[in-house]
């Protein structure tokens, strides 16, 4: 097997140049998808039969909850790559993804609570889905705190990678919680196989929102990683040249 | 992949498998406690403790909701299509509460097997339907018409 495509990621300079080319496209895609998806979902999609307009919070809640879990899986993969291949960029990705994931998780929990009050009659209930999602938020806090608490960068990277990997066990639990146990949270509307329990004019804007959130996550993550790469590689000549170019370009 | 990386990969995978197994064992041991509510069948089989607050969940049986004329008292039957539990409640019901809707009630079982609830939560299912579609389905006879569908 050829591993060159993989080993390229070991070079921060290669990443910096390549991500610079991807960024404008990702940002543009995020803006367009989110604008169309959210306006369509919030203003033009039909109201739901029983919930009326309050169901529209799914256009924020579902993508945020989805992405919070995807973001954690990304951190676990980065942790694996960091532990096995000792790639510097993997630690950058892990550290920079954690705050984004924590915010997404927080948004999912808050929007869920706001929707829960009129629909269920309560903001919070300790069922398996809600509790496992709260644990995910605490795992994010754990990774962020651990990364900041250890001053030695290599030890911090190793500790965070292990926590991200071990915490990934929670992701299938979140996914399956609504099937394994009696919960107040409804089971998944969208299945990998079979028809979605939702009308096309409702799920199309939702699909756009989910894709938009993915592009948004990708763009924000790349921005954060590029800044961190510049910070960590500050002594290398290419970073000095790049920073010089950026500063002069602005002035 | 060189030997050192392969070894590290195996160690990491072994840790992951170990943690997964430990979590799986813990969760299966806690199986009963993680369930949010008891189903009517579990209550009928005596699995639910008496004289402590429990949650019962199921579908509100069609035609079973009896509202009191001069108070907020309401009595209804919750079913899982095998067994039934009668629930008594005084208070304001959530917007989504209606017949054939999944609900979870929190309260104590009394000697007659009636759950005296102090909290009723509506459970939304995974189906989302725009009102026009529901109307069309009803007209074509694919969906049973329910007289007092609340908006």
């Amino acid at each position: 097997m050829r591993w060159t495509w993989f080993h390229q990621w070991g070079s921060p300079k290669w990443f910096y140049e390549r991500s610079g080319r991807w960024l404008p496209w990702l940002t543009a895609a995020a803006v367009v998808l989110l604008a169309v998806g959210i306006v369509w979902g919030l203003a033009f999609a039909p109201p739901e039969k029983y919930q009326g307009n309050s169901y529209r919070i799914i256009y924020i809640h579902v993508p945020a909850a989805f992405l919070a879990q995807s973001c954690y899986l990304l951190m676990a993969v980065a942790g694996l790559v960091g532990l096995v291949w000792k790639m510097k960029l993997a630690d950058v990705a892990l550290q920079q993804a954690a705050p984004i994931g924590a915010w997404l998780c927080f948004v999912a929990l808050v929007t869920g609570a706001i929707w829960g009050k009129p629909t269920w009659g309560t903001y919070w209930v300790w069922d398996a889905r809600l509790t496992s999602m709260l644990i995910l938020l605490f795992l994010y806090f754990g990774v962020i705190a651990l990364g900041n608490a250890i001053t030695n960068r290599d030890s911090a990277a190793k500790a965070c990678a292990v926590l991200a990997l071990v915490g990934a066990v929670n992701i299938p639990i979140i996914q399956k919680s609504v099937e394994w146990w009696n919960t107040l949270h409804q089971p998944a509307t969208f299945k990998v196989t079979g028809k979605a329990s939702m009308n096309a004019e409702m799920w199309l804007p939702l699909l756009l929102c989910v894709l938009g959130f993915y592009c948004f996550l990708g763009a924000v993550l790349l921005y954060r990683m590029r800044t961190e790469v510049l910070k960590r590689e500050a002594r290398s000549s290419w970073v000095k040249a790049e920073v010089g170019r950026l500063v002069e370009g602005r002035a | 992949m060189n030997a050192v990386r392969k070894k590290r990969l195996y160690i990491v995978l072994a840790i992951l498998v170990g943690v997964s197994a430990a979590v799986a064992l813990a969760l299966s041991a806690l199986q009963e406690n993680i369930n949010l509510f008891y189903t009517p069948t579990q209550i009928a089989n005596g699995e639910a403790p008496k004289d402590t607050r429990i949650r019962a969940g199921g579908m509100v049986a069609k035609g079973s909701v009896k509202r009191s004329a001069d108070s907020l008292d309401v009595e209804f039957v919750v079913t899982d299509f095998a067994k039934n539990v009668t629930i008594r409640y005084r208070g304001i019901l959530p917007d989504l509460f209606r017949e054939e809707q999944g609900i979870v009630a929190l309260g104590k079982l009394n000697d007659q097997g009636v759950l005296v609830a102090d909290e009723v939560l509506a459970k939304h299912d995974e189906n989302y339907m725009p009102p026009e579609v529901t109307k069309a389905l009803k007209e074509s006879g694919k969906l049973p018409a329910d007289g007092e569908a609340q908006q």
Side-chain angles (χ1 to χ4, degrees), chain A residues 157-171:
Chain A
K158 207 178 256 177
C160 289
V162 170
L163 181 57
L165 263 172
V166 169
V169 174
N170 190 32
I171 299 295

Side-chain angles (χ1 to χ4, degrees), chain A residues 3 7 46-52 55 58 80 83-86 115 118-122 125-128 162 165-166 168-169 173 180-189 191 197-199 201-202, chain B residues 1 5 8-9 12-13 15-16 19-20 23 27 31 34-39 42 55 94-96 98 104 119-134 138 143 146 149-151:
Chain A
W3 286 85
H7 288 298
E48 211 263 339
K49 187 186 169 201
Y50 296 114
Q51 298 172 58
Y55 93 96
I58 59 163
L80 180 76
L83 282 178
V84 176
W85 284 273
K86 306 277 173 203
W115 176 81
T119 315
W120 294 339
T122 180
V125 65
W126 290 100
D127 84 347
V162 170
L165 263 172
V166 169
V169 174
I173 296 177
W180 290 343
W181 300 293
N182 298 332
T183 56
L184 190 62
H185 194 288
Q186 66 266 30
T189 296
K191 296 139 195 119
S197 318
M198 192 185 239
N199 206 268
E201 44 196 321
M202 283 176 168
Chain B
M1 235 194 302
R5 283 173 187 162
R8 282 201 294 247
L9 183 64
V12 169
L13 289 180
I15 292 173
L16 207 56
V19 172
S20 309
V23 171
L27 287 181
Q31 181 78 26
I34 296 174
N35 280 328
L36 184 72
F37 53 83
Y38 291 97
T39 61
Q42 284 174 316
R55 288 199 186 89
D95 290 354
L96 242 65
R98 61 178 195 276
V104 173
E119 192 181 8
V120 172
L121 303 176
K123 184 168 158 40
H124 186 258
D125 64 16
E126 70 270 35
N127 298 308
Y128 290 78
M129 249 186 243
E132 309 93 87
V133 175
T134 323
K138 251 179 231 163
L143 202 75
D146 51 333
Q150 294 164 6
Q151 274 294 353

Side-chain angles (χ1 to χ4, degrees), chain B:
Chain B
M1 235 194 302
N2 67 33
V4 183
R5 283 173 187 162
K6 214 168 249 178
K7 197 176 146 206
R8 282 201 294 247
L9 183 64
Y10 289 146
I11 293 174
V12 169
L13 289 180
I15 292 173
L16 207 56
V17 169
V19 172
S20 309
V23 171
L25 285 175
L27 287 181
S28 62
L30 290 168
Q31 181 78 26
E32 284 309 304
N33 296 324
I34 296 174
N35 280 328
L36 184 72
F37 53 83
Y38 291 97
T39 61
T41 306
Q42 284 174 316
I43 293 172
N45 293 344
E47 285 173 42
K50 286 227 163 105
D51 297 323
T52 50
R53 277 156 62 86
I54 60 157
R55 288 199 186 89
M59 194 86 103
V60 179
K62 204 171 183 181
S64 72
V65 180
K66 280 184 237 124
R67 287 173 203 269
S68 156
D70 56 349
S71 72
L72 286 171
D73 287 348
V74 59
E75 194 183 296
F76 53 91
V77 174
V78 156
T79 178
D80 60 359
F81 303 110
K83 291 278 173 21
N84 295 333
V85 168
T86 306
I87 292 177
R88 230 173 262 148
Y89 175 68
R90 168 180 293 179
I92 297 164
L93 292 162
D95 290 354
L96 242 65
F97 182 91
R98 61 178 195 276
E99 287 172 3
E100 295 185 302
Q101 162 78 41
I103 63 113
V104 173
L106 177 65
K108 273 185 194 168
L109 275 179
N110 69 11
D111 296 333
Q112 293 96 52
V114 172
L115 189 93
V116 183
D118 44 47
E119 192 181 8
V120 172
L121 303 176
K123 184 168 158 40
H124 186 258
D125 64 16
E126 70 270 35
N127 298 308
Y128 290 78
M129 249 186 243
E132 309 93 87
V133 175
T134 323
K135 204 168 148 247
L137 281 176
K138 251 179 231 163
E139 279 161 5
S140 66
K142 281 185 185 156
L143 202 75
D146 51 333
E148 70 301 277
Q150 294 164 6
Q151 274 294 353

Side-chain angles (χ1 to χ4, degrees), chain A residues 25-193:
Chain A
W25 295 104
L26 265 179
T27 315
V31 170
V32 171
L33 285 169
L34 280 179
V36 174
I38 287 182
V39 170
W40 186 359
L42 295 189
F44 296 106
E48 211 263 339
K49 187 186 169 201
Y50 296 114
Q51 298 172 58
N53 283 320
S54 71
Y55 93 96
R56 289 180 199 278
I57 208 156
I58 59 163
Y59 296 110
I60 306 293
H61 175 75
V62 172
F66 215 79
L67 267 279
Q69 296 171 59
S70 298
C71 188
Y72 201 89
L73 281 183
L74 186 142
M75 283 166 56
V77 171
L80 180 76
V81 172
L83 282 178
V84 176
W85 284 273
K86 306 277 173 203
M87 224 175 247
K88 280 192 245 171
L89 204 60
D91 178 50
V92 175
L94 199 155
Q95 300 288 344
Q96 299 309 313
I100 311 175
W103 273 113
L104 286 167
C105 194
F106 179 74
V107 166
L109 286 169
V110 167
T111 51
I114 294 170
W115 176 81
K117 187 64 186 174
T119 315
W120 294 339
T122 180
Y123 287 110
W124 184 263
V125 65
W126 290 100
D127 84 347
R129 171 58 75 81
L130 276 66
T131 310
S132 55
M133 205 62 192
L134 189 66
I135 291 173
L136 182 69
L137 183 64
F138 291 152
L139 281 170
Y140 275 122
F141 287 163
V143 171
I144 296 170
L146 203 57
N148 287 323
I150 306 173
T151 33
N152 181 299
R153 191 169 286 159
D154 289 337
S155 327
K158 207 178 256 177
C160 289
V162 170
L163 181 57
L165 263 172
V166 169
V169 174
N170 190 32
I171 299 295
I173 296 177
I174 298 179
Q175 282 290 318
K176 293 283 169 191
S177 57
V178 285
E179 293 170 26
W180 290 343
W181 300 293
N182 298 332
T183 56
L184 190 62
H185 194 288
Q186 66 266 30
T189 296
F190 302 97
K191 296 139 195 119
V192 181
T193 54

